[in-house]
Amino acid sequence: MIELPAPGARRLRLVAASVLLALVLLTALQVPWSERLQAPGFDVLQVLAPRKVSALSVTIVEIDQKSLRALGQWPWPRVQLARLVRTLKRAEPAAIALNFLMPEADALSPERLLAQAVVEDRTIAAALHALPSNDAELAAALATAPVVLVVAGTQEPSETPLRTAPITLRASTPGTARPMLTQHAGALSSIDSLNRQASGWGLVSVDTTRGVVRRMPLVADVNGTLVPALAVEMLRVALRAPSLQLHHSGSQVTALTIGALRVPTEADGAVRVHFSRHRSDRFVSAIDVLEGKVDEAQLRGQLVLVAATAAGLNEVEDTPLGERLSGSEIQAQLIESLVDGTLLRRPRWAPLAEAASLGVLGMLLITVVPRTRPARAALLSLIALCLPALAALALFVGPHWLMDAIAPTLYLFLLLGVLLVLTLVESIRQRRVLEGEVQTQRLHSARVDGELAAAQAIQTSGLPRLDLLHGDGRVELHATLHAAREVGGDLYDFFMLDADRLFVLVGDVAGKGLPASIFMAVSKALTKSAMLRAPNADLGHVMSQANAEVSRDNPQQLFVSVFAAVLDLRTGLLNYCNAGHDNPYRLRDGLRDGQRGTPHALSRISDGDGPPLCAIADFAYVGASCQLHVGEMLCLMTDGVTEALNPAAELYGTARAQAWLERMAGASAQALVDGLHADVLAFADGADAADDLTILALRWRGPEIEVST
């Protein structure tokens, strides 16, 4: 974040606090869209921590493809269902539920066959008439076993009365309103002859939330009649409880009591199921039960759900785990959650707790983020955004509480966006306040930069063009000048005195920047003038004349080191004078000269020297000379090479420069200059230049190469 002045920071915190207050109120009041934000977050918690099944208290006897192949298509004759009920009853289960509706008489019953077909043989007709009704057979079987039949809610009112277990309302305060439950206009149930013999009747209708089963009602209101869910009714029958007790406070349901089991509910009497993954060991085939292939001990004391699961008969629903489960398995998981006490709960105080946590984290961000460095502010923001999710996961795994992490996280993210926008707006306002001063500084800086740019252009234009000698095959020359600032105090020059003699000059003013560049220009001009006035004079005499001219007007007491030389391109004779400059290097290509012992020879010129110009006003300089070999190269450089520093304040040094020159002795003048320059820059690694840097390489190729025309 941008650090703001105190008044701007106070304005920012006040506006951000107002936004935070509005977000806290939205969280506490649970506005209509809250549920849509919460549901995906709750589903993620179930995916991360699905219910662990400790014991399977429900067994699903499935009418599967295997059973249909053995006994025929569905629906079976009810005598077959009666046989299945009697077989299950012998295993002594706690309760049996037939999870399918039988709203009409069995079409395969003998009396229905007689009514629908013409039987001319009186013996056959009498035999059929003497057979008991299929519905009567099933009713007789139901009368001997703890069987629960299902009821399905409808949008149309029912024409027949419902059979249901008694449900007693227990209000926390006398005279309160009737509880608001899931409503159904009517219900569809099995025929009365079967209903009369059943031990219980349970509702199987479940409303999904955008196609996903998350909440299931324990009790529903069917046109004024309270009907328990199938899972509740199976538990009531298994516990031999004569009735159920529904506890409520005003219109809000608080709990349902099933025998000794008390189950807290949400305000509409629904609960949230903690789902486990699909378990194939919950299922046994109906034909295996009928054929005695299932051990009775596996069914003893169990809650048994009989359901059709064959293809085309099984209705499946989406669950928060992303799995599609059959309705019977969903009912089984509800029963297991009721028995194990692993139902998920959304505490009534959850919105207030979420609002409080949002307020605390939001105030922390408002207080700390604007005055913290960006890296720390980003880390703090990330921690604040992660805390609601971590807390929600911990409370889900522990007490099975559902706490919303999505809305607080989104609101915190929105608050961070508001803080960022407000900070930018305030910074823009502050910037406008400072625009006058900044504009003045820019104008001043532009004027200085313009002057320096002009000086740099003048200095660069004063250097000789490197292509001036390209037409002469007797010599190869390349040079570079790199100023430590916009302009520098180094200099180099070269020009032909006549058709066969080349003058070369390299110098270094003691200092850098604009004063050094001006003094360099003066020194170069005066030295060149002295040389041109007496082109055949001894270089010592020329240097003495230049020293007198430069020293004449030098109020700042600057001095300049200079190495000047004249190379005769016909003979390779080099006349030179060194006024306090670093001794030049001679690079001799031994292979070219036929010396097989040493590939390359490196030496330095050490005579013909004197003090820098302007150091001693009347010093008499004396020149010297040496003979260059064919292919030999002369390398001149300023101390900007050897005194270059890297970020660790280490010097490039003479030894490193000499090692580079030895490796490059056989290279071209341009390759040597550019390579040495690049090596110095790589060594410096971005550190500020300590001094100007100049490198000049000159190779005499020999007299036999004529000047090209």
Side-chain angles (χ1 to χ4, degrees), residues 85-142:
V85 169
R86 291 190 180 97
T87 303
L88 291 171
K89 195 260 181 184
R90 285 197 299 270
E92 299 179 357
I96 303 170
L98 302 182
N99 193 12
F100 40 80
L101 287 167
M102 295 174 284
E104 298 176 350
D106 188 357
L108 300 177
S109 191
E111 72 277 6
R112 298 292 296 277
L113 291 175
L114 282 172
Q116 295 174 8
V118 178
V119 181
E120 296 181 355
D121 190 329
R122 293 181 178 181
T123 303
I124 296 176
L128 288 173
H129 186 72
L131 291 174
S133 165
N134 289 356
D135 292 322
E137 284 289 318
L138 180 56
L142 296 180

Side-chain angles (χ1 to χ4, degrees), residues 57-58 235 261 263 303 334-343:
S57 54
V58 181
L235 286 175
L261 180 64
V263 182
L303 296 167
L334 174 58
I335 294 172
E336 290 173 356
S337 295
L338 290 170
V339 173
D340 297 343
T342 54
L343 288 170

